[in-house]
Amino acid sequence: MKNSNFLFMLAFLFASVTVNAQFEFKIDFDFDSERYIVSVIPQESYSEPQNITSDGQVTIKAPTNRFIPVEIKSELQGMIWDDNSRIDAPEEAPDFDYISFALQISSGVAYPEYEVGVPLPLFSFKNAYGCTAGNGSSGVISIIDNDNDPFMPPNSANANIGNALSVLGGSSFGGYGFSGLYNGGSVSCDPENPTSTAEKLGFSEFRVFPNPVAEVANVEISWEGESQEAYLQMVDPAGKLILQQPVSIAYGKNTVRLQVAQYPAGSYFLYLVGEDWEVSLDKINKQ
């Protein structure tokens, strides 16, 4: 993990006066853009100044020789993520390559809005090889589990891996801001082998129209399982929950109308959220 002396001292002060911050880490795959999206789900809400963020790291693992992250895109203003280390096929887990992403902050600290239960996208990337499902792999990659992964430190490569986020409202020291993985922390780029709970329950496809939209957006959801009670959420680029609308999802095609005329022009993220599952739908562009 990359640290300047300033950030290290800042994080140390955070740890000395606060309790452990808790975040679930999650990963999604967007089939339209072919991008993997890494997010955190706060277990508490943090607003300024408690949302000051100074440091972070995320480690993923992929089938060995099948994954090179490219076109890394940071999703939050002032927060820059890049891949800073890689360990291929370590002796503890020879079937996997471990890739760590480090957070750099251009102004020293950042101020994202952490709202309890609302996913906050951190960064996204593509695989240089494309989806590996056709090359002897399931196309599945995972965020590692800090508590159970066999390659966690101390390890044979002396590698610093793991998931952490240092926030003033809590401490990444000791607890590392890690409370677990959403839906097991794995995702597949292969539509023939879905890994999310939502897909197993019956989610098959969606459509958002018109997009861009001025007043009313129609969200069309195809469902092939038993009926579910859920919420349709609209989140701004800073991770703030803008709209939450309850929906009843039944077998077949479901259409939900979102009134968006009152919101400022810009891009928003849409999520379909159930009791213990979530689907990242699409980016909606408000005119």
Side-chain angles (χ1 to χ4, degrees), residues 104-125:
Q104 302 179 61
I105 302 178
S106 56
S107 60
V109 293
Y111 301 84
E113 289 293 328
Y114 297 108
E115 186 165 347
V116 60
V118 178
L120 183 67
L122 299 178
F123 61 95
S124 63
F125 52 88

Side-chain angles (χ1 to χ4, degrees), residues 45-242:
S45 296
Y46 300 107
S47 56
E48 195 171 342
Q50 297 299 308
N51 62 342
I52 294 176
T53 303
S54 64
D55 201 6
Q57 177 173 285
V58 175
T59 302
I60 66 169
K61 65 179 183 180
T64 190
N65 297 322
R66 302 289 188 186
F67 204 95
I68 298 176
V70 294
E71 298 181 32
I72 300 168
K73 177 186 176 185
S74 301
E75 300 292 345
L76 297 175
Q77 184 176 2
M79 300 176 71
I80 303 169
W81 291 84
D82 61 11
D83 54 328
N84 71 325
S85 70
R86 180 187 186 103
I87 304 294
D88 293 341
E91 61 182 59
E92 293 90 340
D95 294 330
F96 297 96
D97 297 336
Y98 287 75
I99 305 161
S100 290
F101 300 81
L103 171 61
Q104 302 179 61
I105 302 178
S106 56
S107 60
V109 293
Y111 301 84
E113 289 293 328
Y114 297 108
E115 186 165 347
V116 60
V118 178
L120 183 67
L122 299 178
F123 61 95
S124 63
F125 52 88
K126 291 184 176 183
N127 182 5
Y129 294 116
C131 184
T132 61
N135 298 315
S137 165
S138 64
V140 175
I141 70 166
S142 304
I143 299 176
I144 68 169
D145 188 336
N146 283 12
D147 300 320
N148 299 305
D149 195 273
F151 190 50
M152 282 298 291
N155 52 50
S156 59
N158 294 318
N160 177 21
I161 65 169
N163 309 303
L165 199 61
S166 181
V167 180
L168 180 59
S171 168
S172 68
F173 282 66
Y176 295 104
F178 178 84
S179 65
L181 300 170
Y182 185 86
N183 273 351
S186 297
V187 70
S188 176
C189 62
D190 180 7
E192 300 298 322
N193 292 285
T195 58
S196 75
T197 301
E199 289 170 312
K200 292 176 182 177
L201 286 172
F203 175 80
S204 59
E205 61 182 2
F206 69 93
R207 185 165 68 104
V208 180
F209 62 96
N211 194 8
V213 59
E215 296 183 356
V216 179
N218 298 287
V219 183
E220 194 174 87
I221 302 163
S222 295
W223 194 263
E224 297 177 353
E226 296 181 1
S227 298
Q228 297 281 325
E229 296 299 318
Y231 291 94
L232 193 62
Q233 295 182 342
M234 189 168 79
V235 177
D236 72 11
K240 184 177 181 180
L241 180 63
I242 298 297

Side-chain angles (χ1 to χ4, degrees), residues 214-216 258-264 286-287:
E215 296 183 356
V216 179
L258 288 182
Q259 301 286 342
V260 298
Q262 67 271 39
Y263 301 111
K286 168 66 171 59
Q287 294 178 328

